[in-house]
Each structure stands twice: as structure tokens, then as C-alpha cells.
């Protein structure tokens, strides 16, 4: 399941990569990359998705709900 609202301003266009056969043998590899400014209505919900979503917060704040707990995400946070 994947639900989202991309309430964002795009700072740089999203880049998509086609992983090599070697990369696919590694535990992790990059499929896409983007830099954007998320606004108050931005959210993603992910369950049963076979990839990871890595987020680094440059500035501002938000929240992360994971396994029935809610975490405050501040500038400099990675999740």
C-alpha cells in the first residue's frame, strides 16, 4: 500500500536511475533522488513496499508515525 500527497515545491527535478545488475546484488542502491520543499499537507504512507524511502530534513520540522509511535522530526534529522 502506498498513499501520498506531494504538497511540495520542487527545488531540483527528480533524478531516476537504472541500477546495474551489480547494484541489484547489493543490500541497498539508489533508484531516485529529489530535493524538494515539503509543505504542511505533504505525507506518505507506505506498507508492504519493497524499497526504502530515506529522508534528510534540512530545515523546518514535521512528524513521523512509525509502529504506533509518533516522532518529532527537526532540522538535521534523518529517517
Amino acid at each position: 500500500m502506498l498513499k501520498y500527497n506531494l504538497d511540495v515545491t520542487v527545488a531540483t527535478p527528480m533524478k531516476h536511475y537504472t541500477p546495474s545488475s551489480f547494484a541489484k546484488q547489493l543490500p541497498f542502491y539508489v533508484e531516485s533522488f529529489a530535493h524538494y520543499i515539503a509543505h504542511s499537507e505533504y505525507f506518505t504512507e507506505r506498507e508492504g513496499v519493497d524499497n526504502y524511502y530515506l529522508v534528510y530534513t534540512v530545515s523546518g520540522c514535521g512528524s513521523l508515525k512509525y509502529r504506533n509511535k509518533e516522532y518529532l522530526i527537526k532540522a538535521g534529522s534523518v529517517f
Side-chain angles (χ1 to χ4, degrees):
M1 180 221 29
L2 178 60
K3 295 195 300 189
Y4 57 89
N5 180 12
L6 297 181
D7 182 21
V8 299
T9 299
V10 177
T12 59
M14 182 177 276
K15 305 265 189 219
H16 294 280
Y17 301 96
T18 302
S20 67
S21 56
F22 173 75
K24 289 182 177 182
Q25 294 175 20
L26 300 172
F28 303 100
Y29 56 87
V30 175
E31 290 183 336
S32 62
F33 174 85
H35 175 207
Y36 51 83
I37 300 164
H39 304 289
S40 62
E41 298 299 316
Y42 171 84
F43 78 91
T44 62
E45 291 181 24
R46 302 165 57 83
E47 184 178 325
V49 180
D50 66 349
N51 59 19
Y52 295 94
Y53 187 55
L54 177 67
V55 175
Y56 172 67
T57 304
V58 175
S59 64
C61 63
S63 65
L64 169 66
K65 294 177 186 173
Y66 181 69
R67 294 189 177 173
N68 298 318
K69 291 186 181 181
E70 189 164 350
Y71 303 90
L72 176 63
I73 305 301
K74 299 187 239 177
S77 298
V78 176
F79 63 92

